[in-house]
Each structure stands twice: as structure tokens, then as C-alpha cells.
Amino acid sequence: MTEINVRVDGVAYADAVEPRTLLVHYLREQLGKVGTVVGCDTSNCGACTVHLDGEAVKSCTVLAVQADGCEVTTIEGIAPQGSLHPMQKAFHEMHGLQCGFCTPGMIMASIDLVNDNPNPTDDEVREGIEGNLCRCTGYQNIVRAVQQAAAEMSGGAPTSSETLGAQS
Amino acid sequence: MTMVDEPTGTQAPEKEVGKARRRKEDARLITGKTTWTDNMSLPGMLHIAVVRSPVAHARISNVDVSAAKAAPGVIEVYTGRDFAEEQGSLPCAWPVTPDMVNPGHPSIAVDSVNHVGEAVALIVARSKVAAQDAVELVDIDYDVLPPVLRMEEAVKDGADLVHDELSSNTSYHFVFDAGDAGLGGNTDQAFADAEVVVSRRFVNQRLIPAFMEPRSCVVSPQGDNYTMWSSTQIPHILRVMLAMVTGVPEHKLRIIAPDVGGGFGGKLQVNPEEVLALLVARRLGKPVKWTETRSESLMTAHHGRDQIQFIDIAADREGNVKGLKVRLLADMGAYLRLITPGVPALGAFMFPAIYKFPAYHFECDGVFTNKVPTDAYRGAGRPEATFAVERIMDELAVELGMDPLELRRKNWIQAQEFPFTTIAGLEYDSGDYEQATQQALQLIGYDELRAEQRQRRESGDPVQLGIGFSTFTEMCGLAPSRVLGSLAFGAGGWEHASIRMLPTGKVEVVTGSTPHGQGHETAWSQLVADELGVPFEDVEVLHGDTSISSRGLDTYGSRSLVVGGTAVVKAAEKVVAKARKIAAHLLEASEDDLEFTGGKFSVRGTPGTGLGIQEIALAIFAAHNYPEGIEPSIDADATFDPVNFSFPHGTHICAMEVDTETGMVKIRKYASVDDIGKIVNPLIVEGQIHGGLAQGIAQALYEEAVYDDDGNLTTGTFVDYLVPAASDLPHFDTGNTVHEAPGNPIGAKGVGEAGCIASTPAVVNAALDAVRHLGVTDIQMPLTPERVWRAIHQGGDGGERATAGTIAWGGASTETTTGVSTDASSLGGDR
Amino acid sequence: MIPAAFAYARPTTIDEALQAVADGGEDVKIMAGGQSLIPVMRLRLAAPETVVDLTRVAEMRGVREEGDAIVIGAMTTHSDVLSDPLIAQWAPLIADATETVADRQVRHRGTFGGALAHADPAGDLPAVALALDAEFVIAGLNGRRTVGAAEFFVDYLTTALEEGELLVEIRVPKLQGTWGMHYEKFNRVAQAWSIVAVAAAVRREGGVIAEARIGLTNMGPVPLRASGVEAALAGAEATAEAIAAAADRAAEGTSPSSDLNAQADYRQHLVTVLTRRAVTAAAGL
């Protein structure tokens, strides 16, 4: 067992973990942060995406011991209780989810993308979330959602060329 | 069409149905406040890991579990012998012919294994890690038998057998002949008389549903009662089946499907692990959990499609179709699961599609192989049929030198001919194929694309452009119970709903149609808000728990709104009827003088009077004053059994670029116009279409479950089983026409599978249209760049792919038999 | 899946790391970004007894200028490579290829040196390093040595790194003159490894290609230089015809594998097309 000190969603934890414990299993099983899920075992699906010191990572491909001394943000920590992050709001508004299993990871990856690129084009969004698989939506409404959230996060008006639900 | 804005005024009661309501479900899903089965943790809960067969076909000669039993944290290790007497057989509910051969399907192998990944031992341990670690300690000796992998060889005389106690690898031979059924002419005669006959062999490849949430189940025993949480589409069916398989009485079993992360037919199953978890919980008296890894999921959750299709079409020189003949080899895999045999047989009724064939003959052989069983996957029977018929229509058009759309138009059912009984005996309800087609042509900008195609051909551009059509229909709203009975299906097709009026006026709607991502909570709320005149927000939809929703047949086959939604509407009508009696009593008026609008009963011609249905709910809760002779309740339930299927249709058009130098294909534009009847929530409808398109396009371009010559699944991780990401899919231009379904009061036809059924042939037809002038007549799915390149430069259909997994991570993907120890399982693989 | 149990060391200096590797015995794995290693361990295709995690070795991170070369720390992450001004100035080919590696989450963790030391034939960076004549600085308990790219990649997943050694940095010579560069990657879906890819760097003098360097990804167990193409391009006119003729030689001396995505003969065809495209783009045509 190895001692780690880690802040998760603003709360400091000191825990003992086996070195082989994956960050996602630490979050889910030791901290009860079950909002972050596991969808694959080859780091393809991105469902487990969290922010590690502000950058999106796949928490199934990071060891919990590697988060020692770090700040982890999960889907449960991006907005104060009772309010929504603009990205969460946009996924709801634009119907960017169906079963919702990929959604926490998709939202965390999308926030990371918009942090780097505040005004992504359609193609830039598609490439920016290439590490996250969704089986339900066909992605089109996710693209809309990310663009709407990007506009809100940068304080501007929505730049999406598409109107929600206008089945053009 | 454009969606309506959120409500602004309160004057005239605005209809909820038709509004782009944002989903109620989202609140928990976007914040991580979900209840996936794997989130569940119970005091003292034990964890199950499954030891799986690394070989496709073998006798088990010895199992040594002693080392695993002694491993730290391990409570118990079970083999097939331990459950041989009580595990029964996994159920198959669809004996499609009276003499169908079903070898039975043990949940855990006892004497022999018949596909890679079959369960051979169970580890039960205090932690997931301990269970996983002990998997590698189980030592099993296999006497390997030759694997049966290719259907065309498996059906030959003298072929190796999957089940050596059977006389062949054929499970059933299903025949539908329209002539014999009195629905059409003699098919052989039609072909003999025809001026033109086109015959093709198509491969509809094996696919994996690949829902995002891996399967999981938790069982909690309380005395002789058991509660199971499972990531399932079918809690109600699962309950009945588990009771029948294990002997645990049905009333002692409670099944809960909490939040379920997608299914697409892949969770329409009674899984071996569900049976085993129940047996282990019963044996140990302890709560247990099993959650699969992705590799286990790809390897052992049922697969879909996998047909070899021989299809012949007859026509005259003018392009009037004269007959259709279909012979299928359908890969069952090693066993028959819940509806394995029925999936291809269901297709029998869809091959004639929207065309007026005067003669039709269908045959299907269900064939055993040493692969994981196939079963429902989005569309289940209909995508296969649609693919074959839409492909052969293009081939016939080429043969006749006709425009493919002109050929279709010449033969499809005209708008004024509805309702129309097809050669397969289905009565198509409503629609207008021409209207949908015209709209789709406009959406995609057809004339400009054809002009560009000509220009690229003339200039010999290395990138060629093609346009492909799919003018499809499908059968939804599964299903009329009597029809299912005539097809020997083991259950009915009705659906149940109940409505509970709470004292404060809030409404609980209980539905038997269990969602796993579709948005029932939102759509049902819209239906009930309109029917009862209560605010959308005042409705709560309950589902997925057999203790709460006691009757139901769950979600598949685009049935939820059409059948389940109708049950909700019918229950609401009963609530109103019961409330009307109370209202008449309280308003001291005759029932006949009451009108009900906007949630209020009022006496006709007496303005100012009125009693809201929500007030009545409180009044009847108190029950101080109500009419003699009735019960003090306005709650109601309803069971709806449709008399016919519903038949969505549409026209899908794909424009495809083909790089003739590399074989890479890229969708330039995709337009679809679907007629799914009345649209309850345009937002949800559009989402369902998008998602269906993604999966149908993925079949055409990316996905295939590939087995090597030993029967190992080489597409065993997402590295090699290519589920497309956002950057791999195009933008979709979607539209609708609306011809309401006459068979249900909502007028809805069903939308869940439309995009998936329609898109695959449109994409393949488009690719072929791009390179047809280069001599290409077919390309096997998925259209890998290699296959496209070979078809262009070497002829044929692109041929078979190499079966070795990619070398990523040192051959990781070729050895992803998780839970399976193999000699080659070491970094570096066996390349 | 969960990896099998292992002992874990997290050194903070190169010396500590070398010691930890030495102490780890025979079955020790060095973990850089872990983006390939952790999945392999999760699938239990690898089960090392000891993992030496380099993520806290600060001196192995970053890019610096050193005379006629830029020096990239082995533990520099892909995303740091992408935003580095020295790489943008002197070796844009590296950024071009790095951008195609996996996805943004993986690029936040995965490292330049880790990808090279892993030497996956389908990995994108080895061919780039080879095309740029990069030098690999290897540290051992007995000191440092430098190995050229051509000698570094020995075989499938095998490099010149001996037991107990660490790849600490990669020296990329600054190319003199006017160079154009391009990485042409071919794969079926966004996330996938390269089926084939071509790294091209081209120096033009007016209408003539003075010099070309071509690295090939996934055309054999190790990255290859397309020396036939390079020879044909040297001094050739910068025209589509000349480039196409030269690119036709791209498959010479290659021995690609056959797998789900492509069989060997198709790869050998593909490489000629991709080489033509890569050189054309690099030459600014």
C-alpha cells in the first residue's frame, strides 16, 4: 500500500492504495465518486475522463498513486451543488446525450477542448472529442452542445451555425 | 421543420405533444448522479469473476480449482459441475419451426465448450481484484475439437459438428412462400417467365451491439426473496425467464433495471451471468456482483447480423419487378439465445420492402458455428432485409440501364394505395414514398451532386463521387400478440401502463416499457400532460422495477411509444373517465354535461364552474364525498395490444467520395427524410435518427466482428472493433414527412431503428455508384480501404480481410481473451 | 480489468531512476506516460514485478536549444511537444505527427520518449525521428551514450536500450536551409494507429528538390527510411511527375505485416501513394 494525498472536487483525501489501483477505481470505490465510469479497458472510449491538475486524462489509464499531490476534478465537481456548468447546460439544451453513460467523460473532454480552443469549428470539435465514444447520439448534437457551451464560456453569443432541432 | 419554442402563455391549453421538450432524464445524467448497476455496493457483497474458455471447441477433460480456492480473498470457486443440476438451460423463446433443433445452453459449461469466452468457472471473492487475480489460477485441460466457423462449409454433408450429439449444424429450415400462403403467384414460374434475372450473394457481416455501459448485475438475497439489479433492457422478461430457469418462484424475484447505459438489442437477453449470479447468491446467501470488462463484453455478449444472403430478382425489360427469391444462411453461433432463431426469420416479412412483387419465396437456414450466439441488434432482421433488397434494386437498375430511383418509383406502393397488403402478408398502414423522396433529394442537393459526379468522371479525378439511395420501410410497434403467437414467439406483444393520482395532484405514471436511454420519462410526461391537462413537471414516470411496474414487456423493436405510449394514453383516458364521475357528483351536474379541457371539468354553458383533475385527486384521497357505487380512486391502468404493426418509411441518400488511389471512402453528404408518423418530441426523434444513422453507417464502413481460423475473436477490444468517433461520421441533414399511424391513438410509428435500418445500403450503394464505371459490382462490408482498393484494381468484392488483430500494444488485440490465460499472453504477443 | 500487483518506484531524478531500475531486478518495467503500458497491464498481457514511474523526473521534461540541435526530454508530453516554439521552428514534422497520435487525453499523459522507446511499428514518432536523423541519449549506471536513430530501432518493440538503461533525451539536428515537412497518416478511424504513414522533409532550392528525407511508419517491424525515394528525389525537379516517379520506389525494401486493416501487398501500394502525397505537401506543391 502506498499513501497518497489528493484533492478531489475540492476535498482533500489521504488514503492508502495499492500501486496497481487505477485512478478511476480509486474514485469510484474508495471515494464513492461513481459519476465517473469505466467503459473499456484499452483507453479508447474516454468514459472515465477527469481533469488531473486541470488537464483531461483517462482515469482508467492513470494510476491512483500518480495522482498523489494532485488536484482531480470529476463530473461531480465542475459546478457548485444545485447549479450547472455551461457545458452541462448545453448538453441538456442541445440533447447531446441519450443513455448518458459516455456523458460525464464527454463533458470533461469537451471542457478541456474549449479551455484550449474557445471557439472551435464543427471539425475542431469532432477532432477534439475523438477520444470519447458515444454509441447513442451520432455526435451531431454533442457538436452543437460543445459549440453552444464554448460561446457561453467565452461570454459571447452562440456561434453555432446550426439551430437546435432545425432538421435543416 | 423547426421545433416549437418552450411555452410562453397559459391561455389556450398548449399541447405538449409535438414540443421539443428538454429531457427530464438529463438532470442526473449530466451531473454524474446516476445509478448504474455497477455503482451498487451492498454490505458484505461478494464479487464474481468468470473464467472463460480460451478455445472455440473442446471437451473439458479436467478442471483444477485448488490454487484459485486457496488464493487470498477467495470465498468459493465453482465449475459447471457444481451447477449442472440446477442451472437448466438459458431460454430460447422463439422456436421458428416445429422441428427446430435446440441443443440447450448451459450458463456455465459442464463437459464441453463451444465458443471462445464461454464460462467454465466462477471465482467468488471478497473484492473485485481478488476475484480477478484468482482467474489466472484455475487450471483447465481441454481436448480441442475442430472449430466450425464458416456457414457455407458447416452446412455441407460430412462437415465437422458444433454439437456432436446432433445430426447436423442446421438448427432449422424456415420457409415462407407467398404462393403457398395465397398471397402471390408461383415464384419459380415468375422467374422462368422473366426477361431479366439478377442474382447476388451478399454478406451481412457479424456485428457487436457495443452498448457503452458494460453489463452488470447485483443480486441481494433476503430470506427466500431475491432482488436483482441488472443492466438489462428487459427486467420483466428476465424475471419470468429466471424463475423458469432456476426454479426461484417468480413472486420471490424482484428485478430492477436502474439507469441502463444503452442496449440496442444487446441487453435484450437472459445472460448466463445473470443466472449464475442468482445461483451463487442462493448458494451462499450473500449479495454478489458481476460486472464485465469491455473485452468480456465484446467477446461474450451476444453479437448481431451475420447472414450470407442469396437473393434473386426477376423483372421485365421495362423494369417491372416480377419476383423475389431469398435464401439465407444465418449464423446462430454456438447456441440459441432468447430470440436468436427469430431474428433472420422476422426478416422474411421485410424483404419485399416497399415494392409490389407479384411473387416471393423465402428460405432461411439457421446454422450453428463455434462463435458467440447472435441475437437482436438494432433492427434485428429488418436491416438485413433492407440491405439485400436495396442493394439488389441497384443491381437490377444497372442491368436494365435504368436510373436506380426511377426503377424504385416504378415499383413502389403509391400513396393512394394505402393500406396495402404486401406479398409477405403485412398490411402497410400509411405513407407517401414519393413525397419523402422529393424532400430528401432537395435536402441533399441532388442535381448539383450528379453534375459534380459527371465532371469528376470526365476529368478522371482520382477522387470519384457516388450517390446511393435507400427507400425503405420497416415494421415497428412489436407487436400484435396474436401475430406473435402465429409465429410461435414465446410471449405476447402488449404493453402495460398505470397512472396513480397522488393527493397533491402530482401524477405517477408507471410504464412496462423499460427505457435505457430513449427518453421515456420525458415523452410519457408529454403524453400524460396533454391527456390529463396537468403540467409536464407534475408527471413522474416510473419504470424498470418489477415491484413498481409489475406488468410489462420492456423496450425493443421500436415498440415503446407505439405500444407502451398507447397504454399510457389509454390509462389516462380511464383516469379521466373515473374523475368525470367524481366531478359530476361534486359539481352536482350530469356527466354528460361536463366537458374536460386543460385539466378541468366544467359544466357546459356555465362559465366559472369547474373542478381540476388535480383537485379531484385530493378530494378522492380524502374520500369524504363521492358517489355511491364506485371505488374511491381515480387511478387506472391499461394494457394495450396492437392489432397491426406500424410501418415507418423514408428515403435516405448518401453522397460518397471514393479515393481510387487508396480505397478510402468518405461520406460527403447524408440526407434522410423519415416518416415515423406523429412526432411527440422532435428533439428525441432527431436524436434517435442520428444515433441510428451512426450505427447503420458504421456497419457499412467500420464494424465487423472477425474470428480467426481457431475461432478467436480478433476484434476483441475497441482498438480493432471500430466504433466510430465524432470525427469519423458526417453531418446529417434530416427531415420528416408525417403520415400518422392509424393503428394507435398517438399516430406514432416508431423511430428507434429507422436510421440504422435505412442507412447501410444507402452508403454501400453510394460507394458502388462512385466506382461502378471502373468495373466494380460489389464490395463487402465493412468497406475497408483495402477492400475498396482491391475491388477497383483487382476485381471481385474486395475479398476477405486478414484475420490477425492489429499489432498495437504488442498484439494486445489478438490476445484479448480477458480472464483467459493463453501461452501467448505476454507483452510482445505472437506476431 | 485491473493490472496484476507490482512494486512501484517513483524516482525524481535520473540517477534515482537508474538505481530503481537496477533494484527492480529482471522483471522491471519503466513507465513513461503509461498510455500504452497501462492498457497492456490491464489486459494482463504484461505483469511486471516492478514499475518504475518516470513522471516525476523533472529533468527529463522540456525542450531546449543546444548548439546545432534541439534537445527534447524523453518525458516531454505530446501536448507539450505540440505547443513548443522550438519544435515549431526547427522540427515542425514532429508536431505534425504528434498531432495525429491518439487523442487529447492520451496526449496529455503520453510522452515523446516513451513512444520512441516503446517502438511500436504502428507508432507515429519513430519514423519521424528516423527521418530527422535524431540521436538518442541513453543513460545507464555507467554513464551515457548516444545512438543514432538508424541504430536505435532494432526490431519489433525492440530498441538499442539495454537492460537497466533509460532513454533520457532525443537530440534533433537543426536542419539548415529551407525545409518543408509533412506527415501523411492513413488510418480508418480517428483514434486508430497508422495503417501506413509517411514522414517527409524536403529541402528545395528553387525549382529543384535538393534533398529529401522520408521515414515510413508500419512498413516493417521497425521504422524505415525510403532511401530509394530519397535518392531519386535528390536533385530532381520539383514537379508532380518527378515526385510521383520517385514515390513509386517507396515500397522497396519494406516488409509490412498483414492484419485486419491491411494486407502486406496493399500496404506496399499504399506507401507509394502516401509518399507521393507527403513529398508533394512538404515540397509546397
Side-chain angles (χ1 to χ4, degrees):
Chain A
M1 290 293 205
T2 306
E3 296 292 325
I4 60 169
N5 289 282
V6 55
R7 280 181 80 81
V8 180
D9 295 336
V11 178
Y13 298 89
D15 273 308
V17 296
E18 267 197 284
R20 61 164 157 169
T21 304
L22 303 172
L23 177 57
V24 68
H25 289 140
Y26 172 68
L27 294 171
R28 286 179 59 80
E29 284 154 26
Q30 267 177 272
L31 303 187
K33 292 271 178 187
V34 291
T36 303
V37 296
V38 185
C40 76
D41 33 29
T42 48
S43 88
N44 286 84
C45 83
C48 63
T49 301
V50 301
H51 294 179
L52 183 63
D53 286 341
E55 285 185 332
V57 300
K58 294 182 174 178
S59 63
C60 75
T61 315
V62 176
L63 303 174
V65 286
Q66 294 185 296
D68 183 27
C70 296
E71 177 98 34
V72 176
T73 308
T74 79
I75 188 69
E76 297 170 55
I78 53 174
Q81 175 64 28
S83 67
L84 295 177
H85 186 280
M87 194 62 75
Q88 291 170 308
K89 209 160 61 181
F91 269 67
H92 174 57
E93 281 295 316
M94 296 291 159
H95 189 34
L97 66 150
Q98 289 177 30
C99 85
F101 193 78
C102 76
T103 307
M106 197 65 87
I107 286 175
M108 298 309 285
S110 299
I111 293 172
D112 185 63
L113 165 68
V114 173
N115 286 343
D116 273 2
N117 180 353
N119 189 19
T121 64
D122 187 293
D123 283 348
E124 285 168 348
V125 173
R126 287 178 184 270
E127 274 166 34
I129 56 170
E130 69 191 343
N132 294 72
L133 297 178
C134 168
R135 193 59 160 164
C136 293
T137 64
Y139 302 103
Q140 190 153 315
N141 288 343
I142 292 177
V143 175
R144 289 169 173 160
V146 175
Q147 289 184 325
Q148 153 144 326
E152 186 177 341
M153 286 163 71
S154 61
T159 53
S160 170
S161 56
E162 300 186 54
T163 318
L164 171 70
Q167 300 193 341
S168 51
Chain B
M1 57 161 290
T2 308
M3 289 183 184
V4 194
D5 287 326
E6 298 273 348
T8 47
T10 51
Q11 294 190 330
E14 205 184 337
K15 285 289 180 197
E16 280 290 338
V17 168
K19 237 188 245 182
R21 274 288 188 183
R22 287 0 179 223
R23 295 196 323 166
K24 291 183 170 183
E25 291 86 344
D26 294 356
R28 61 183 188 275
L29 298 169
I30 57 177
T31 51
K33 304 290 187 224
T34 30
T35 49
W36 311 114
T37 301
D38 187 52
N39 293 359
M40 195 77 58
S41 186
L42 299 171
M45 186 173 78
L46 302 174
H47 298 259
I48 296 177
V50 182
V51 182
R52 298 186 181 280
S53 170
V55 293
H57 196 195
R59 302 219 145 271
I60 298 170
S61 53
N62 188 45
V63 184
D64 180 357
V65 299
S66 53
K69 269 191 175 164
V74 171
I75 301 294
E76 195 49 88
V77 180
Y78 297 111
T79 68
R81 289 259 163 257
D82 295 310
F83 292 119
E85 299 308 314
E86 58 188 295
Q87 66 172 330
S89 169
L90 287 168
C92 173
W94 205 337
V96 291
T97 61
D99 57 352
M100 182 184 86
V101 176
N102 181 357
H105 187 347
S107 290
I108 179 166
V110 180
D111 302 312
S112 63
V113 290
N114 289 298
H115 66 83
V116 166
E118 192 167 351
V120 284
L122 300 178
I123 314 284
V124 186
R126 290 179 56 199
S127 69
K128 185 163 72 178
V129 177
Q132 202 72 68
D133 286 350
V135 163
E136 294 167 12
L137 302 175
V138 175
D139 191 14
I140 302 162
D141 296 333
Y142 296 96
D143 290 338
V144 175
L145 300 167
V148 178
L149 299 167
R150 291 180 184 79
M151 285 191 283
E152 283 162 312
E153 289 167 26
V155 294
K156 287 181 184 158
D157 285 343
D160 291 324
L161 294 176
V162 175
H163 300 281
D164 59 10
E165 71 278 18
L166 304 182
S167 58
S168 80
N169 290 315
T170 302
S171 170
Y172 67 84
H173 183 70
F174 177 93
V175 178
F176 175 84
D177 187 276
D180 293 348
L183 294 158
N186 181 300
T187 307
D188 287 340
Q189 194 59 50
F191 274 80
D193 296 344
E195 292 170 359
V196 180
V197 172
V198 176
S199 301
R200 289 285 184 274
R201 171 189 179 273
F202 296 131
V203 179
N204 211 290
Q205 81 270 31
R206 184 174 271 252
L207 300 176
I208 306 180
F211 36 77
M212 289 313 297
E213 182 208 11
R215 294 171 302 163
S216 178
C217 75
V218 171
V219 182
S220 174
Q222 304 102 7
D224 60 353
N225 281 261
Y226 299 89
T227 302
M228 175 186 288
W229 292 262
S230 182
S231 170
T232 181
Q233 286 175 234
I234 51 159
H236 298 92
I237 295 171
L238 182 59
R239 183 192 192 197
V240 179
M241 293 298 176
L242 284 176
M244 287 163 63
V245 170
T246 65
V248 174
E250 189 180 358
H251 61 301
K252 300 292 184 185
L253 261 178
R254 174 186 180 188
I255 311 287
I256 301 172
D259 285 322
V260 176
F264 317 108
K267 292 175 181 171
L268 199 192
Q269 194 54 269
V270 178
N271 289 298
E273 296 84 358
E274 288 165 330
V275 172
L276 295 168
L278 180 58
L279 296 179
V280 170
R282 181 164 73 176
R283 195 68 78 90
L284 295 176
K286 292 267 199 179
V288 299
K289 180 201 270 188
W290 169 77
T291 301
E292 69 183 351
T293 66
R294 176 58 59 184
S295 325
E296 268 183 301
S297 189
L298 294 171
M299 183 169 59
T300 68
H302 75 241
H303 291 177
R305 313 277 197 272
D306 206 343
Q307 295 182 357
I308 297 172
Q309 309 175 313
F310 300 91
I311 181 165
D312 311 303
I313 192 167
D316 64 20
R317 276 277 152 216
E318 286 68 49
N320 298 299
V321 295
K322 298 295 185 188
L324 184 69
K325 265 197 297 201
V326 176
R327 187 167 78 81
L328 299 183
L329 294 178
D331 195 337
M332 306 284 97
Y335 301 104
L336 303 180
R337 287 273 180 92
L338 194 57
I339 59 166
T340 300
V343 170
L346 187 68
F349 303 94
M350 287 319 300
F351 276 90
I354 62 170
Y355 309 112
K356 294 184 275 187
F357 286 101
Y360 173 51
H361 180 84
F362 173 94
E363 291 180 27
C364 173
D365 284 318
V367 182
F368 291 117
T369 60
N370 290 110
K371 300 178 186 174
V372 81
T374 57
D375 207 307
Y377 171 51
R378 203 170 193 170
R382 292 155 289 162
E384 297 91 323
T386 303
F387 175 80
V389 75
E390 287 302 298
R391 281 284 299 108
I392 201 81
M393 287 303 278
D394 264 31
E395 297 303 307
L396 177 61
V398 170
E399 179 69 27
L400 294 169
M402 274 180 85
D403 178 86
L405 202 49
E406 210 39 57
L407 176 68
R408 286 170 168 79
R409 193 175 270 128
K410 194 162 199 150
N411 290 290
W412 71 38
I413 298 157
Q414 302 295 316
Q416 66 276 11
E417 295 177 287
F418 288 100
F420 183 92
T421 301
T422 73
I423 190 77
L426 296 174
E427 188 189 279
Y428 289 3
D429 51 1
S430 68
D432 186 339
Y433 304 141
E434 181 65 42
Q435 187 192 3
T437 300
Q438 285 304 333
Q439 203 172 312
L441 289 170
Q442 281 175 11
L443 258 184
I444 203 160
Y446 182 64
D447 294 337
E448 293 81 0
L449 286 168
R450 278 285 183 225
E452 182 184 333
Q453 180 184 40
R454 267 194 305 279
Q455 182 264 318
R456 282 181 187 268
R457 277 200 193 176
E458 281 159 14
S459 67
D461 197 313
V463 177
Q464 289 291 313
L465 184 69
I467 301 167
F469 296 97
S470 171
T471 53
F472 84 108
T473 189
E474 53 146 337
M475 56 201 284
C476 282
L478 269 52
S481 297
R482 289 186 185 86
V483 175
L484 291 180
S486 73
L487 296 172
F489 185 67
W494 49 263
E495 192 47 89
H496 183 77
S498 59
I499 293 181
R500 310 200 291 232
M501 301 298 294
L502 305 182
T504 57
K506 307 297 184 194
V507 183
E508 284 179 342
V509 177
V510 182
T511 178
S513 167
T514 305
H516 40 283
Q518 291 86 353
H520 290 29
E521 292 169 29
T522 305
W524 279 211
S525 295
Q526 289 177 272
L527 293 175
V528 170
D530 277 359
E531 292 296 323
L532 299 183
V534 300
F536 172 78
E537 294 76 12
D538 284 0
V539 183
E540 188 73 11
V541 178
L542 307 175
H543 53 74
D545 179 342
T546 58
S547 287
I548 293 168
S549 153
S550 53
R551 277 167 60 77
L553 286 171
D554 307 315
T555 290
Y556 44 85
S558 304
R559 69 188 304 271
S560 289
L561 184 62
V562 177
V563 189
T566 298
V568 168
V569 168
K570 300 255 180 207
E573 286 169 357
K574 289 186 186 173
V575 169
V576 173
K578 289 173 93 173
R580 184 181 294 272
K581 290 193 191 300
I582 316 289
H585 177 77
L586 294 174
L587 292 169
E588 296 174 345
S590 157
E591 272 189 63
D592 298 338
D593 292 338
L594 291 184
E595 58 184 21
F596 182 66
T597 51
K600 254 192 155 87
F601 290 97
S602 52
V603 182
R604 219 169 268 118
T606 316
T609 62
L611 195 55
I613 197 164
Q614 293 178 294
E615 297 169 86
I616 294 172
L618 182 61
I620 206 66
F621 168 73
H624 296 159
N625 182 14
Y626 65 100
E628 295 293 331
I630 65 167
E631 60 177 357
S633 165
I634 57 171
D635 293 358
D637 62 359
T639 301
F640 176 67
D641 191 6
V643 294
N644 189 10
F645 298 94
S646 53
F647 296 90
H649 74 81
T651 296
H652 287 227
I653 310 178
C654 178
M656 176 78 91
E657 291 177 3
V658 179
D659 180 342
T660 58
E661 293 182 330
T662 62
M664 182 64 103
V665 295
K666 184 172 187 289
I667 294 177
R668 160 82 80 80
K669 276 181 120 175
Y670 195 98
S672 65
V673 174
D674 285 276
D675 195 316
I676 53 138
K678 177 83 170 178
I679 293 171
V680 170
N681 184 324
L683 201 61
I684 291 175
V685 162
E686 194 190 20
Q688 286 292 322
I689 292 287
H690 287 174
L693 291 176
Q695 288 183 21
I697 290 169
Q699 173 170 16
L701 300 186
Y702 302 122
E703 296 180 20
E704 179 175 24
V706 177
Y707 284 85
D708 69 15
D709 289 343
D710 296 325
N712 296 305
L713 179 71
T714 51
T715 51
T717 70
F718 280 154
V719 174
D720 284 320
Y721 192 80
L722 301 184
V723 171
S727 42
D728 306 315
L729 290 169
H731 176 90
F732 309 122
D733 291 310
T734 60
N736 294 105
T737 60
V738 179
H739 292 82
E740 294 194 5
N744 66 75
I746 301 168
K749 292 180 175 172
V751 68
E753 295 155 297
C756 190
I757 292 169
S759 53
T760 310
V763 173
V764 176
N765 281 339
L768 285 167
D769 186 55
V771 294
R772 184 80 71 170
H773 64 293
L774 302 174
V776 180
T777 57
D778 193 18
I779 309 174
Q780 257 192 67
M781 296 190 291
L783 307 180
T784 68
E786 177 176 8
R787 276 183 172 149
V788 175
W789 178 79
R790 284 194 198 283
I792 295 171
H793 297 279
Q794 299 174 348
D797 64 2
E800 294 301 318
R801 303 160 71 185
T803 57
T806 54
I807 52 178
W809 301 327
S813 53
T814 60
E815 294 298 339
T816 48
T817 37
T818 304
V820 173
S821 51
T822 69
D823 294 341
S825 293
S826 59
L827 180 58
D830 57 351
R831 180 176 174 273
Chain C
M1 274 287 267
I2 303 148
F6 53 81
Y8 176 74
R10 190 168 61 200
T12 55
T13 66
I14 292 172
D15 288 344
E16 278 178 26
L18 288 168
Q19 196 55 54
V21 172
D23 294 346
E26 272 187 24
D27 198 7
V28 61
K29 252 306 179 191
I30 298 164
M31 185 160 80
Q35 301 301 286
S36 288
L37 181 58
I38 292 175
V40 168
M41 289 169 58
R42 289 182 69 192
L43 294 169
R44 301 217 175 175
L45 299 168
E49 276 170 23
T50 304
V51 169
V52 177
D53 176 4
L54 301 180
T55 48
R56 299 286 164 97
V57 183
E59 59 186 306
M60 288 176 73
R61 282 181 190 268
V63 184
R64 65 180 195 276
E65 214 166 354
E66 211 176 84
D68 57 0
I70 58 170
V71 181
I72 305 170
M75 286 300 294
T76 308
T77 62
H78 297 310
S79 34
D80 287 343
V81 163
L82 284 175
S83 60
D84 189 86
L86 286 171
I87 287 175
Q89 184 182 354
W90 293 106
L93 184 59
I94 294 175
D96 216 9
T98 301
E99 212 169 4
T100 71
V101 172
D103 53 64
R104 58 188 298 111
Q105 292 99 310
V106 169
R107 292 194 294 267
H108 281 145
R109 296 290 296 173
T111 65
F112 187 64
L116 293 171
H118 187 47
D120 192 321
D124 295 295
L125 299 173
V128 171
L130 188 66
L132 296 177
D133 284 338
E135 293 178 327
F136 293 70
V137 180
I138 295 169
L141 280 174
N142 302 321
R144 295 193 172 198
R145 63 192 179 104
T146 300
V147 171
E151 292 78 45
F152 183 76
F153 299 103
V154 173
D155 200 349
Y156 176 68
L157 297 181
T158 308
T159 67
L161 285 164
E162 299 287 344
E163 216 166 89
E165 287 187 327
L166 280 182
L167 172 62
V168 290
E169 58 195 31
I170 298 92
R171 300 171 60 85
V172 181
K174 292 177 183 170
L175 293 177
Q176 302 302 318
T178 311
W179 286 80
M181 301 182 188
H182 184 77
Y183 190 69
E184 184 77 21
K185 178 165 176 167
F186 192 84
N187 57 10
R188 287 179 60 208
V189 295
Q191 262 189 342
W193 270 255
S194 287
I195 295 173
V196 176
V198 177
V202 172
R203 181 166 63 84
R204 274 183 67 170
E205 285 174 1
V208 171
I209 294 174
E211 187 183 354
R213 297 156 169 226
I214 318 287
L216 308 179
T217 297
N218 215 3
M219 288 302 293
V222 292
L224 300 171
R225 283 285 281 267
S227 41
V229 181
E230 293 179 357
L233 284 173
E237 300 275 310
T239 63
E241 294 73 26
I243 291 172
D248 276 346
R249 301 181 56 184
E252 288 175 8
T254 62
S255 53
S257 61
S258 287
D259 62 35
L260 283 173
N261 287 321
Q263 297 178 62
D265 64 324
Y266 171 62
R267 278 196 163 94
Q268 289 187 321
H269 159 75
L270 212 46
V271 76
T272 64
V273 177
L274 301 178
T275 298
R276 191 188 80 221
R277 290 178 184 180
V279 172
T280 304
L285 289 180

